[in-house]
Amino acid sequence: MQDKQYLMIPGPTQVPPAVVAAISRPIIGHRTEEFADMNRRIVERLQVVFQTQNDIFVLTHSGTGAMETAIANTVSPGDKVLALVTGNFGERFAKMAREYGADVDEVNFGWARCVDLKIVEEKLASNSYKVVLATQNETSTGVTNDIAGIGALVGKTTALLLVDGVSGVGGIEIKMDRWNVDILVTASQKSMMLPPGLAMVAVSQKAWKVVESNKSPRFYLSLPAAKKNYDKWNTAYTPGVTLFAGLDAALEMMMTEGMENVYARHKLLAKAARAAVKAMGLELFVPDDAYASPVITAVKAPEGINGDDIRKVLKKEFGVTFAGGQGVMKGKIFRIAHMGFSDKMDVIIAISALEMALSRIGHPVELGKGVKAAQQVFLGGNE
Ligand code: PMP
């Protein structure tokens, strides 16, 4: 069946039928009461997801646009920036700050490792930074960083903490206010269950003081321009109105499920995926469950096999799409996303297809062993 696809990449992710229905409704104008009502409802619910009282701007960007919005509004040439890097997206954040002329102190904790709080503490004690950059969920490796721990340290200083929550927010708990996050950004096409095209940017009071006087050029990315319209529940420029309708529907689903349940679901999926991978005799890329991502599981390709060859068989024969390794990990790992509109059977399909693909390639695998391990987690037998 040509159309039957199992998309298991970390964005864009599968979109629930209720969201598809919402974005299929007739287009509305954005300078209308109808739009303002919807925008207010969206922001109030996003405040629940972000755990914040701060302003949250829904912008028509991809995730990178949201990251650049955070940088353009807080970083000026010559500013000292601490970049906490655990993979490809941490590197991107650091690079972006450098493009804006910042003096970037980049600390690379290594791929498949998380941010080491001791090093952050040392760095903050011996330097004065204007901005600290961190990634909540490093999609390239499947590591979730301790934003609460980082925020507790940065909150004691004058520095602003900017967090890339692009793949995590909506699937992994974050408490923006309690954890001292100053700018939190995310995008629509990952744990938020929407097609690509929207970004969400929340800004603390501490950040606003910097934003208002920041020297870097900004126009489309200007937060003060967004704020002027936000106070009327509107946007500075034409927003992706169809996607706003989808976001409204996605947030309705999240509120109905309850955020605690959303987070617990993702943790369970990760636990099952990790148990299955181990049972199959494969190696997890992130060895430690303590900082392994709830929304994506990275797996090392078996010795002598290119991960991309496994992915080709998965796609061609079973219609299953996993993500490959990025940057230095290309061909060496593959990544199974279980974020957003994902449930138990998605993991069963992913693991079952992986067993068959490995077998097809000639890698010794006992069919059903990984599936059984996942099933046992779901039945509560693997506690
Ligand atoms: N940050 C993270 C953690 C991501 O996972 C991604 C997308 N994979 C981005 C930033 C970039 O987002 P986009 O591709 O929407 O610009």
Side-chain angles (χ1 to χ4, degrees), residues 71-76 130 210-216 218:
I71 297 281
N73 285 280
T74 57
V75 174
S76 303
K130 184 182 181 196
V210 174
V211 168
E212 273 153 12
S213 59
N214 201 50
K215 304 262 185 326
S216 289
R218 51 193 162 161

Side-chain angles (χ1 to χ4, degrees), residues 23-36:
I23 63 182
S24 307
R25 287 203 303 260
I27 302 279
I28 61 166
H30 58 295
R31 307 287 181 212
T32 60
E33 222 173 284
E34 201 180 348
F35 180 82

Side-chain angles (χ1 to χ4, degrees), residues 269-288:
L269 300 185
K271 186 177 175 186
R274 288 175 70 78
V277 165
K278 278 195 272 187
M280 288 167 71
L282 298 182
E283 210 179 322
L284 291 161
F285 184 49
V286 177
D288 196 331

